[in-house]
Amino acid sequence: MYLIGADYLLLCNEDFSIIKNGGIYFNENEILEIDTYENLQNKPAKSQKYYQNCVITPALTNLHIHLEFSQNEGSLKFGNFGKWLDSVIENRESLMDSSLQLQMQNTIQTLLQSGVGFVGAISSYGYDLEALANSPLRVLYFNEAIGSKVEALDMLYQNLLARLQDSQQFSSHHFFPALAIHSPYSVHSKMLQKVLNLAKTQSLPLSVHFLESKEEREWLETKKGYFQGFFERFFHTKMQPFYTISDFLNSFRGLKPYFVHCLEATYKDLEMIAKMQGKIISCPKSNRLLNNKILDLNLCKQSQIHPIFATDGKSSNDSLSLLDELRTALYAYMDYDLESLAKDLLLGVTYYAHKDNPLGIKAGSLKKGFLPDFAVFKTKAKEQLALMLLLYTKKAEALYIGGKQII
Ligand code: BEZ
Ligand code: FE2
């Protein structure tokens, strides 16, 4: 058993409760008790540590990354979704060269340094499997399905199954294999059905990029625009969209998926997502770079959806620091009350990142019975703690995962 404490514990529950001079008593598996540090000091403990001028939060969660794109720094074009996607198709092989493993290790360090203890990693190829499975991070590992050409679907589905099986060999309470659908424009309806069945029969969490761009919405609604030319240029075929927006959404019923981005979603789309208890993951910096827009939080509120915040990959971000991401969002959402926005952002990488999660993982709050994963951040503040944390903190002072100190 161990005891740590700090000037403030941000419990990261729905009410944003704070304990002054708080302590957390824990073992490697779970939090045993939370109280004031003083009240816990007499408990038998292998070690006791009080962090002065610090706050402790649950370890942060970055639920949407693409570690395999860690090498991008200037190869991919930003500012227009179509130009970006063209540049991804043209550069994706060269971004996977022999120095990828080293870059992925650097990115994992950036994640840990920013207080992240849990990631949702979209894996397109499986190149990131061992780097993630052997890292200290807890990982929801989303094996991604892609494929628009009918002739290639069998081969691509077999490849997905092989990657899923490889990842299942690493299953543990640190590593959770899962599935991802790339997007409605890139996944044929036959492939979608197979992957949805797989997710259902094996009870696997599911993530999907959805309505990230105006180009995607235009394609699904009018069968015209950027994607028409895209398929002609890169696939030499005249293509039709595989779904209408509502048919695509309806096919996920019963699965409670993570819908990533939803920038171009209407109130009606969000209502459908809320009805199926789906979650929304928002990546503000990526969204600004690719679609010149960030998620409408008022629309989310109307649909009673609390967004989860994440960084996306270096394919559409300069860094995977979650602290950078939240600080940027703090400035970008100018029409929202600063202090309550800061709380919502912090809860979006803790409490809401795990609330009602499909695997029943108890994470994202400091609470008895939850995982002993903590981030410690230095602060001189005594009030407005969420705001001051996001504003001033560039890296974590300490990080615990599974009760062990990683940083
Ligand atoms: C494909 O691999 O089929 C694909 C990739 C990106 C966009 C659309 C289709
Ligand atoms: Fe993404």
Coordinates of all heavy atoms in Angstrom, one line a residue, residues 85 89 92 146-149 182 185-186 227 230-231 235, ligand 1:
L85 N -5.8 15.5 -47.3 CA -6.0 14.1 -47.6 C -5.2 13.7 -48.9 O -4.5 12.6 -48.9 CB -7.5 13.8 -47.8 CG -7.8 12.3 -48.0 CD1 -7.3 11.5 -46.8 CD2 -9.3 12.1 -48.1
I89 N -2.3 10.6 -48.9 CA -2.2 9.5 -49.8 C -0.8 9.5 -50.5 O -0.1 8.5 -50.6 CB -3.3 9.6 -50.9 CG1 -4.7 9.6 -50.2 CG2 -3.2 8.5 -51.9 CD1 -5.1 8.4 -49.6
R92 N 2.0 8.8 -47.3 CA 1.9 7.9 -46.1 C 3.0 6.8 -46.1 O 3.4 6.4 -45.0 CB 0.5 7.3 -46.0 CG 0.0 6.5 -47.2 CD -1.5 6.1 -46.9 NE -2.0 5.5 -48.1 CZ -3.3 5.1 -48.2 NH1 -4.1 5.1 -47.2 NH2 -3.7 4.6 -49.4
I146 N -10.1 0.0 -43.3 CA -10.3 0.9 -44.4 C -10.5 0.1 -45.7 O -10.0 -1.0 -45.7 CB -9.1 1.9 -44.5 CG1 -9.4 3.1 -45.4 CG2 -7.8 1.2 -45.0 CD1 -8.4 4.2 -45.2
G147 N -11.1 0.7 -46.7 CA -11.2 -0.1 -47.9 C -12.5 0.3 -48.7 O -13.6 0.1 -48.2
S148 N -12.3 0.9 -49.8 CA -13.4 1.4 -50.7 C -13.6 0.5 -51.9 O -14.7 0.5 -52.4 CB -13.2 2.9 -51.0 OG -11.9 3.0 -51.6
K149 N -12.5 -0.1 -52.4 CA -12.6 -0.9 -53.6 C -13.1 -2.3 -53.3 O -12.5 -3.0 -52.6 CB -11.2 -0.9 -54.3 CG -10.9 0.2 -55.2 CD -9.7 -0.1 -56.0 CE -10.0 0.3 -57.5 NZ -8.7 0.3 -58.3
H182 N -12.4 3.6 -40.5 CA -11.7 4.8 -40.9 C -12.7 6.0 -41.0 O -12.6 7.0 -40.4 CB -10.9 4.7 -42.1 CG -10.2 5.9 -42.5 ND1 -10.7 6.8 -43.4 CD2 -9.1 6.5 -42.0 CE1 -9.9 7.8 -43.5 NE2 -8.9 7.7 -42.7
Y185 N -16.6 7.7 -45.9 CA -16.2 7.8 -47.3 C -15.1 6.8 -47.7 O -14.9 6.6 -48.9 CB -15.6 9.3 -47.6 CG -14.4 9.7 -46.8 CD1 -13.2 9.3 -47.1 CD2 -14.6 10.6 -45.7 CE1 -12.0 9.7 -46.4 CE2 -13.5 11.0 -45.0 CZ -12.2 10.5 -45.3 OH -11.1 10.9 -44.6
S186 N -14.5 6.1 -46.7 CA -13.4 5.3 -47.1 C -13.6 3.8 -46.8 O -12.8 3.0 -47.1 CB -12.1 5.7 -46.4 OG -12.3 5.6 -45.0
F227 N -14.6 14.7 -53.1 CA -14.4 13.2 -53.1 C -14.6 12.6 -54.5 O -14.0 11.5 -54.8 CB -15.2 12.5 -52.0 CG -14.5 12.6 -50.7 CD1 -14.9 13.5 -49.7 CD2 -13.4 11.8 -50.4 CE1 -14.3 13.5 -48.5 CE2 -12.7 11.8 -49.2 CZ -13.2 12.7 -48.2
F230 N -11.4 13.0 -56.0 CA -10.4 12.2 -55.2 C -10.4 10.7 -55.7 O -9.3 10.1 -56.0 CB -10.8 12.2 -53.7 CG -10.0 11.3 -52.8 CD1 -8.8 11.7 -52.3 CD2 -10.5 10.0 -52.5 CE1 -8.1 10.8 -51.5 CE2 -9.8 9.1 -51.7 CZ -8.6 9.5 -51.2
F231 N -11.6 10.1 -55.8 CA -11.6 8.7 -56.2 C -11.2 8.5 -57.7 O -10.6 7.5 -58.0 CB -13.0 8.1 -56.0 CG -13.3 7.8 -54.5 CD1 -14.3 8.5 -53.8 CD2 -12.6 6.8 -53.9 CE1 -14.5 8.3 -52.5 CE2 -12.8 6.6 -52.5 CZ -13.8 7.3 -51.8
F235 N -8.0 6.4 -57.4 CA -8.5 5.0 -57.5 C -9.0 4.7 -58.9 O -9.5 3.6 -59.2 CB -9.6 4.7 -56.5 CG -9.2 4.7 -55.1 CD1 -9.0 5.9 -54.4 CD2 -8.8 3.5 -54.5 CE1 -8.5 5.9 -53.1 CE2 -8.4 3.5 -53.1 CZ -8.2 4.7 -52.4
Ligands
BEZ1 C1 -9.1 3.6 -49.3 O1 -8.0 3.1 -48.9 O2 -9.9 2.9 -49.9 C2 -9.4 5.0 -49.0 C3 -8.5 5.8 -48.3 C4 -8.7 7.1 -48.0 C5 -9.9 7.7 -48.5 C6 -10.8 6.9 -49.2 C7 -10.5 5.6 -49.5

